[in-house]
Amino acid sequence: MMALTPAARASDFSEPWKSADRALVVDAYEYNSIDWAQLATDKRVVGFINKASDGMSPPYSCSGDDTEVKLCKALWKRHAVTRELFQTRKVVAKALGLKWGAYHLARPGNPVEQANNFLDFADPARDDLMALDIEGIDPAQWMSLDDAEAFVRQVHRRIGRFPVLYTNGKTAQYIADNSYKYRLLSRLPLWYARYKPDIDVHFPIGNWQGYALWQFSAQANCGRFRCPYRVAGTPDDIDVNIAPTDAATLRQQWPFGGLIDVPADYLASVPVPLSREAALAGKTTLIYADVATPPSFGEMVAVLGSRWSKFRDGFRMPVVKTVPRRPIFGIVQYVAWKRTGQRTPAQLDAAFAAAADPVSTASTEPDRGKR
């Protein structure tokens, strides 16, 4: 079971970087320049998270016309240089005593193969943080949330622990509101991206009662003249994150890797058997079938709550809101009342008197007044 910090204090949702005891984490991608000697002078910086993979790696062999081949080779060169820089930064960061982490930018496509690409690229040690970056809920631009659950399962199968979920406020809120559907994503430690000084009223309360990391500073709100926090040796567009703990506690929690409020056996999957022909053919990819875990009480309440209106409306009987008050008001009087377009007491009395004979209200009697 994941042992995160207790429910965050109010101060952890309002400019916590102003508290000198709160630990910081820097995250970067290949185009951020880093002066490591300067960065090491900021003793609040505990960890460094670097971008690893982006969707799938480029193909190993290039084909097509000259333009396609040139583009393929350029992508592969960039991939190779990025991987070399990643490994170099890992060595330097760890030599400086920083905790290390890597994140994968999720794209549409095969989530299992993306997870394999991520782990092969990052080559994580046991104490390296792994993170899944979900930038939005549009499956045409980003990995769908259903695929993200499959990604998380594959990471767990391979390294025995879970990634942290990096996402923005809108996506996090959507996952929190649909936690009964995204039962893994909603329980991953949350790396929350929001560039506002206060997030109390915006924080997506659900399974999350607080954040593991909050990305509070980036190019969006940090410039030459104004920035929430500047880390020495980094450019203005560097991403800076705050933890709701001090440095010693963050080091103990790193690399997270568990689920919030549920035991590890909450996740279950079994490999699909291979055919004899596939096994004899050589290298194959195992496919896993998910095993449904019994829903928790909270999940059942969420499901029932989301569907209660439709369920209730299906059993509702029509309600007559304005029925005249009379000592005797049966079906005969009701039909007479419905037939008359008048609503004054005298006209209603006249209509009821005309309806004294039940036969006159039968459906076989032509309604001459209406015709």
Side-chain angles (χ1 to χ4, degrees), residues 63 70 89 120 122 135 175 183 202 209 222 234-235 243 248 306 328 348:
S63 60
K70 288 181 180 179
R89 285 181 172 178
D120 293 343
E135 294 285 335
I175 293 172
R183 297 165 67 190
H202 302 287
Q209 298 300 309
C222 180
T234 64
S306 68
I328 300 176
L348 285 173

Side-chain angles (χ1 to χ4, degrees), residues 137 145 165 167-179 182 186 190 192 194 199-208:
I137 59 176
L145 298 184
L165 175 65
T167 195
N168 53 47
K170 182 178 179 180
T171 305
Q173 188 63 64
Y174 183 85
I175 293 172
D177 291 342
N178 295 275
S179 59
Y182 304 114
S186 65
L190 179 62
Y192 188 60
R194 192 172 181 90
I199 60 171
D200 193 9
V201 297
H202 302 287
F203 190 78
I205 295 294
N207 291 327
W208 298 311

Side-chain angles (χ1 to χ4, degrees), residues 26-340:
V26 171
D27 73 274
Y29 74 122
E30 57 267 28
Y31 293 116
N32 295 130
S33 60
I34 306 294
D35 184 332
W36 291 97
Q38 287 293 318
L39 186 148
T41 62
D42 192 332
K43 300 306 179 183
R44 291 180 62 183
V45 178
V46 171
F48 194 97
I49 305 174
N50 204 89
K51 180 183 176 183
S53 47
D54 185 333
M56 292 296 299
S57 61
Y60 286 95
S61 60
C62 298
S63 60
D65 57 29
D66 289 344
T67 302
E68 291 173 334
V69 170
K70 288 181 180 179
L71 177 60
C72 175
K73 289 182 177 180
L75 290 174
W76 180 251
K77 182 178 180 180
R78 176 185 174 184
H79 175 78
V81 171
T82 300
R83 187 166 185 173
E84 185 68 24
L85 177 62
F86 177 90
Q87 296 298 338
T88 301
R89 285 181 172 178
K90 179 194 289 190
V91 172
V92 174
K94 290 189 174 185
L96 293 173
L98 298 175
K99 290 293 186 179
W100 179 256
Y103 71 89
H104 173 80
L105 181 56
R107 302 286 188 178
N110 190 323
V112 173
E113 289 305 315
Q114 286 197 54
N116 290 334
N117 179 44
F118 173 46
L119 296 176
D120 293 343
F121 188 110
D123 188 22
R126 292 180 61 86
D127 62 343
D128 290 348
L129 180 146
M130 297 286 101
L132 173 62
D133 180 354
I134 300 290
E135 294 285 335
I137 59 176
D138 181 0
Q141 298 186 60
W142 313 108
M143 180 183 286
S144 71
L145 298 184
D146 290 326
D147 281 354
E149 295 249 318
F151 181 101
V152 169
R153 287 177 179 271
Q154 180 65 7
V155 169
H156 184 266
R157 292 183 194 112
R158 284 195 51 178
I159 65 174
R161 53 190 172 89
F162 298 95
V164 171
L165 175 65
Y166 170 91
T167 195
N168 53 47
K170 182 178 179 180
T171 305
Q173 188 63 64
Y174 183 85
I175 293 172
D177 291 342
N178 295 275
S179 59
Y180 64 91
K181 181 177 180 181
Y182 304 114
R183 297 165 67 190
L184 286 179
L185 294 181
S186 65
R187 286 185 168 87
L188 297 178
L190 179 62
W191 179 4
Y192 188 60
R194 192 172 181 90
Y195 311 116
K196 301 291 184 181
D198 301 285
I199 60 171
D200 193 9
V201 297
H202 302 287
F203 190 78
I205 295 294
N207 291 327
W208 298 311
Q209 298 300 309
Y211 54 86
L213 295 172
W214 169 13
Q215 187 180 90
F216 68 91
S217 180
Q219 189 176 17
N221 65 339
C222 180
R224 180 180 176 183
F225 300 105
R226 187 174 182 179
C227 192
Y229 189 95
R230 296 189 189 275
V231 176
T234 64
D236 293 339
D237 63 345
I238 201 74
D239 296 337
V240 186
N241 309 269
I242 193 77
T245 62
D246 57 25
T249 304
L250 180 58
R251 288 180 180 277
Q252 292 175 356
Q253 294 177 346
W254 201 278
F256 302 97
L259 294 176
I260 298 173
D261 296 334
V262 293
D265 59 5
Y266 183 86
L267 176 70
S269 60
V270 295
V272 176
L274 291 173
S275 67
R276 176 180 175 82
E277 293 77 11
L280 293 175
K283 185 178 180 180
T284 59
T285 300
L286 286 177
I287 300 174
Y288 289 81
D290 297 338
V291 178
T293 308
S296 66
F297 177 77
E299 289 168 343
M300 289 190 291
V301 169
V303 172
L304 291 175
S306 68
R307 297 173 180 168
W308 169 247
S309 296
K310 183 177 180 180
F311 176 80
R312 178 194 57 199
D313 292 344
F315 286 88
R316 252 183 193 163
M317 297 297 291
V319 177
V320 178
K321 296 182 178 179
T322 55
V323 175
R325 294 183 179 180
R326 292 290 187 277
I328 300 176
F329 193 85
I331 187 63
V332 173
Q333 288 76 20
Y334 175 75
V335 172
W337 172 73
K338 291 292 288 183
R339 283 181 172 181
T340 181

